[in-house]
Amino acid sequence: SDDLNASEETVYKAVMMWINHNKRWRKREMRKLMELVRFPFMDKLFFLKTVQNNEAIRKCCQDIVTETLWYQAFPEEVRSPRTHPRRVSGLREAVVLIGGTGTRGNPTVYS
């Protein structure tokens, strides 16, 4: 969900905990669930050490791992549902205005 208020690392850990609780039955859901994790917005070191090194992830989701590595290298070139930040991810657009008065008392504004 775009409204999920959690880091992608937390989302990934929660999914893995759920799967590992009953691997035999839940592993078949791994691909579907991993498609919902927005790996490109994870901490790069966490992704490399934890996700990319996970053998189960590499087996079922190699294309998602590859997509994330491409996004990290070329963020403007990769588009998918996973490369769209969640609304509450902390990534926001903002307009910044700085103003004051000039030497003659005239207002100045910089944007």
Side-chain angles (χ1 to χ4, degrees), residues 8-9 12 37-44 46-47 51:
E8 296 307 321
E9 293 85 356
Y12 170 78
V37 180
R38 300 187 185 176
F39 291 102
F41 298 102
M42 282 185 172
D43 175 76
K44 289 178 184 179
F46 178 88
F47 177 80
V51 179

Side-chain angles (χ1 to χ4, degrees), residues 2 13 22 25 30 45 48 57 60 63 73 80 93 96 100-101 110:
D2 279 351
K13 289 176 189 177
N22 189 346
W25 298 107
M30 180 180 273
L45 194 56
L48 293 173
I57 297 292
C60 86
D63 60 320
S80 83
E93 290 186 29
V96 177
T101 57
Y110 304 96

Side-chain angles (χ1 to χ4, degrees), residues 1 4 31 36-39 51-52 68 71 73 77 79-81 88 91-92 101:
S1 165
L4 188 60
R31 172 70 191 197
L36 302 173
V37 180
R38 300 187 185 176
F39 291 102
V51 179
Q52 190 177 13
T68 302
Y71 183 86
E77 302 298 320
R79 294 284 177 253
S80 83
V88 292
L91 301 175
R92 304 256 189 234
T101 57

Side-chain angles (χ1 to χ4, degrees), residues 6-79:
S7 70
E8 296 307 321
E9 293 85 356
T10 301
V11 174
Y12 170 78
K13 289 176 189 177
V15 169
M16 291 305 295
M17 283 177 52
W18 184 82
I19 290 169
N20 289 331
H21 183 72
N22 189 346
K23 278 186 185 180
R24 184 174 180 206
W25 298 107
R26 295 178 177 180
K27 198 170 184 178
R28 65 185 82 167
E29 302 296 325
M30 180 180 273
R31 172 70 191 197
K32 190 183 327 179
L33 292 169
M34 289 302 159
E35 287 179 352
L36 302 173
V37 180
R38 300 187 185 176
F39 291 102
F41 298 102
M42 282 185 172
D43 175 76
K44 289 178 184 179
L45 194 56
F46 178 88
F47 177 80
L48 293 173
K49 285 185 173 183
T50 307
V51 179
Q52 190 177 13
N53 286 334
N54 184 308
E55 187 177 335
I57 297 292
R58 284 196 320 268
K59 282 184 179 180
C60 86
C61 309
Q62 183 58 47
D63 60 320
I64 294 173
V65 170
T66 301
E67 174 190 79
T68 302
L69 294 171
W70 274 96
Y71 183 86
Q72 290 173 348
F74 308 103
E76 298 299 320
E77 302 298 320
V78 180
R79 294 284 177 253

